[in-house]
Amino acid sequence: MEGRLFDKPLNPNKLLKEQFVSNLTGSSLLEIAALSTVVPALVVLRKWSSRDNSRKDSAKKNDDQVHPVRKDWMQYFSTLGVDYLTVVLPIILVFTVLSEWAFTCAISLVILISIYIMFKRSQLHLKDGSQLPSLRADISSYRVSVVLVTCLCILAVDFKIFPRRYAKAETYGSGIMDLGVGSFVVANALVSRQARNIASMSFKAALSSISPLVFLGFARIISTWGVDYQVHVGEYGVHWNFFFTLAAVSILTSIVRIHPKHCGLVGLLILAGYQIWLSSGLNEYLISDKRSADIISQNKEGIYSILGYWGMFLIGVSLGFYLFVDTSSKGKNRNTQVMQIWVLAASFWILAIIFDSYIERVSRRMCNFAYVMLVFGQNFQVLSILTLAGFASYKKNLVLEDAFNQNMLGSFLLANILTGLVNLSVNTLSASSFTAFMILSVYTFTLCMVTGLAHFCGVRMKFW
């Protein structure tokens, strides 16, 4: 074909793949809640089992004196392998071949956790003089859970084995993938400099800190154009993408400096004003397929939704400050924090249902009020379940969690690169269920092992 560098296009199934993820309506809120129970429950059960195994390992410390380096290497990657088999592989199964059994899986895992707690009740009470562990490990576990599920879904969505209802909804409704960008915003907000009440950076320093995100945003545009990669315009627009949204939220937060005590109120006001604007006609403009030639119209979904994500970030900052940083409240301990997290999770879910039913249906494309409440409800549900691990185990994070936590953005970039390579080398639409499952298993195993190798070698990809 004239104008092409190659006679054969790099991505001959581009249009088919774009259609494959278009015009979807999402799944039910109940199913999202079930899937959001499975992931943290698997992590909790793995932490409890690894605590039992760690006692056996501690009894064999004398055996490690002969070849400590080799022993450490073997022990690290064998533990990482078990983490993969007991956490990552079951997640792949539930999100693909066992998707019709998602509710059964969630209920079964809840029953297992309940039985464990009942039989270990005597161990849940601390001895005199000991203190409950902080929530630091639970927060990092939560952030890793967000990255793991996102990394799995960005490739799985291109296969027929991945249910279409889990993919991103076109206009209204929500699949589990719709929660990805919102979860990243909330996860960043809870541990941000603003939430920790650290002195704000200068505007120049703020620009420097977001430059990697801007670079990655443009790199994605150039790379997808260069290899003719499929891009669903309805997600963010023609040129906009995930990295630009994160950069825009970061720069807005740096320009408008608000004390974390007031961020929640300001965030709610921004969301309320934005929702009124949406209900006054902006929503019809954003869900319309019509686009003019100007840059704003070309990227209307990504640009206008910044208001929703900014409000979401500010609320996350306020919650992070009050839950994990503010020590002004006397008698505030882990038990109090955990109770607050569970209450918040239930409250956000109730608000999400109310807004979805009576104000405007959930829409990631607009980042409306109902979507923000759903993101907070789902994220705090995951975090609340993860807090259960601390009551029966004092072991630190899993090896898998430590590895991803050290290179959070690096692992996500690696996942994007691997996803692109798979899509350019395999016709994902014609892959059988068995082939798709094997590819997803090898892909996630490679991602975990490479991330683990970087962690074991002390390599850290620090972007800012």
Side-chain angles (χ1 to χ4, degrees):
M1 183 180 291
E2 187 178 355
R4 286 190 179 275
L5 295 176
F6 303 96
D7 293 333
K8 183 179 179 181
L10 291 175
N11 192 5
N13 298 306
K14 176 183 177 182
L15 292 178
L16 289 175
K17 290 181 177 180
E18 288 178 353
Q19 292 171 3
F20 190 55
V21 294
S22 301
N23 302 315
L24 304 177
T25 57
S27 59
S28 66
L29 297 185
L30 187 60
E31 188 169 24
I32 290 176
L35 294 173
S36 302
T37 299
V38 169
V39 177
L42 287 168
V43 174
V44 169
L45 289 171
R46 169 57 183 153
K47 284 190 174 184
W48 286 344
S49 65
S50 63
R51 172 176 176 261
D52 295 335
N53 292 332
S54 65
R55 290 179 176 178
K56 299 175 184 178
D57 294 337
S58 63
K60 299 181 179 180
K61 282 187 177 180
N62 294 333
D63 296 338
D64 298 344
Q65 301 300 322
V66 182
H67 300 290
V69 175
R70 182 185 174 195
K71 185 69 175 179
D72 289 343
W73 185 88
M74 292 179 63
Q75 183 176 359
Y76 179 89
F77 283 97
S78 62
T79 305
L80 181 61
V82 175
D83 287 348
Y84 173 83
L85 292 173
T86 55
V87 176
V88 181
L89 198 59
I91 293 175
I92 299 176
L93 286 168
V94 174
F95 277 63
T96 55
V97 295
L98 296 180
S99 58
E100 300 301 324
W101 297 81
F103 293 104
T104 303
C105 293
I107 294 171
S108 299
L109 289 171
V110 170
I111 292 173
L112 277 175
I113 289 176
S114 301
I115 291 174
Y116 186 96
I117 290 176
M118 283 189 344
F119 278 93
K120 298 285 185 178
R121 181 177 296 179
S122 60
Q123 298 180 14
L124 300 183
H125 302 284
L126 297 175
K127 296 179 181 179
D128 294 336
S130 60
Q131 294 184 351
L132 285 164
S134 69
L135 290 174
R136 184 181 297 273
D138 299 321
I139 297 171
S140 60
S141 293
Y142 147 71
R143 298 179 73 222
V144 170
S145 298
V146 170
V147 173
L148 273 175
V149 173
T150 303
C151 290
L152 166 63
C153 289
I154 59 175
L155 177 59
V157 70
D158 295 316
F159 292 96
K160 292 182 179 178
I161 195 176
F162 189 78
R164 294 300 86 197
R165 64 184 184 277
Y166 290 177
K168 293 178 180 178
E170 185 75 13
T171 53
Y172 290 105
S174 180
I176 192 68
M177 284 194 71
D178 281 301
L179 303 175
V181 60
S183 296
F184 267 87
V185 171
V186 172
N188 289 338
L190 292 176
V191 297
S192 63
R193 291 173 59 91
Q194 291 83 359
R196 288 175 286 154
N197 201 23
I198 298 176
S200 300
M201 294 184 291
S202 64
F203 183 67
K204 184 177 180 181
L207 285 177
S208 177
S209 71
I210 67 163
S211 58
L213 291 172
V214 176
F215 170 79
L216 292 172
F218 281 107
R220 178 172 173 79
I221 294 175
I222 295 171
S223 60
T224 52
W225 174 81
V227 299
D228 200 26
Y229 196 75
Q230 68 268 13
V231 176
H232 183 33
V233 175
E235 288 188 24
Y236 298 101
V238 178
H239 313 101
W240 201 269
N241 58 55
F242 166 83
F243 298 108
F244 288 146
T245 294
L246 293 184
V249 169
S250 180
I251 197 66
L252 275 174
T253 307
S254 300
I255 293 174
V256 184
R257 300 177 182 177
I258 307 167
H259 192 279
K261 288 184 177 180
H262 310 300
C263 280
L265 177 59
V266 175
L268 286 172
L269 290 174
I270 291 172
L271 285 173
Y274 179 53
Q275 183 60 58
I276 292 172
W277 191 10
L278 286 171
S279 301
S280 300
L282 180 63
N283 52 8
E284 296 180 4
Y285 168 68
L286 293 182
I287 64 176
S288 170
D289 293 331
K290 296 180 181 178
R291 299 177 192 273
S292 56
D294 62 281
I295 193 69
I296 294 179
S297 180
Q298 290 283 298
N299 302 282
K300 56 185 179 179
E301 298 91 346
I303 293 175
Y304 283 96
S305 64
I306 291 173
L307 290 172
Y309 288 113
W310 186 30
M312 179 191 296
F313 186 87
L314 291 175
I315 294 174
V317 167
S318 180
L319 292 172
F321 175 73
Y322 280 111
L323 287 173
F324 313 123
V325 178
D326 186 19
T327 57
S328 60
S329 301
K330 295 183 179 180
K332 192 173 183 179
N333 54 30
R334 180 188 166 91
N335 284 332
T336 303
Q337 290 174 308
V338 169
M339 187 177 296
Q340 290 174 336
I341 291 171
W342 280 85
V343 170
L344 283 170
S347 301
F348 282 126
W349 267 110
I350 292 171
L351 288 172
I353 294 170
I354 292 174
F355 274 91
D356 181 68
S357 302
Y358 300 104
I359 305 298
E360 185 180 38
R361 288 199 63 201
V362 170
S363 175
R364 172 205 47 82
R365 189 166 176 170
M366 306 174 205
C367 192
N368 58 5
F369 219 135
Y371 173 76
V372 173
M373 293 298 102
L374 175 59
V375 169
F376 274 112
Q378 187 262 351
N379 278 260
F380 272 82
Q381 176 190 343
V382 172
L383 183 56
S384 63
I385 295 173
L386 288 170
T387 60
L388 296 175
F391 287 107
S393 172
Y394 305 104
K395 184 178 173 63
K396 295 182 179 180
N397 286 341
L398 301 177
V399 169
L400 178 70
E401 293 175 324
D402 285 335
F404 275 86
N405 198 44
Q406 179 170 290
N407 285 293
M408 196 79 74
L409 186 56
S411 60
F412 181 67
L413 290 177
L414 175 61
N416 276 268
I417 293 172
L418 293 175
T419 296
L421 292 175
V422 171
N423 268 277
L424 293 175
S425 57
V426 177
N427 183 4
T428 57
L429 297 181
S430 63
S432 65
S433 295
F434 177 77
T435 301
F437 182 78
M438 292 306 298
I439 291 174
L440 290 173
S441 299
V442 172
Y443 156 75
T444 50
F445 183 78
T446 302
L447 178 64
C448 292
M449 289 300 136
V450 173
T451 305
L453 180 62
H455 177 243
F456 183 79
C457 296
V459 177
R460 181 167 187 170
M461 295 179 66
K462 189 167 181 64
F463 293 86
W464 59 83

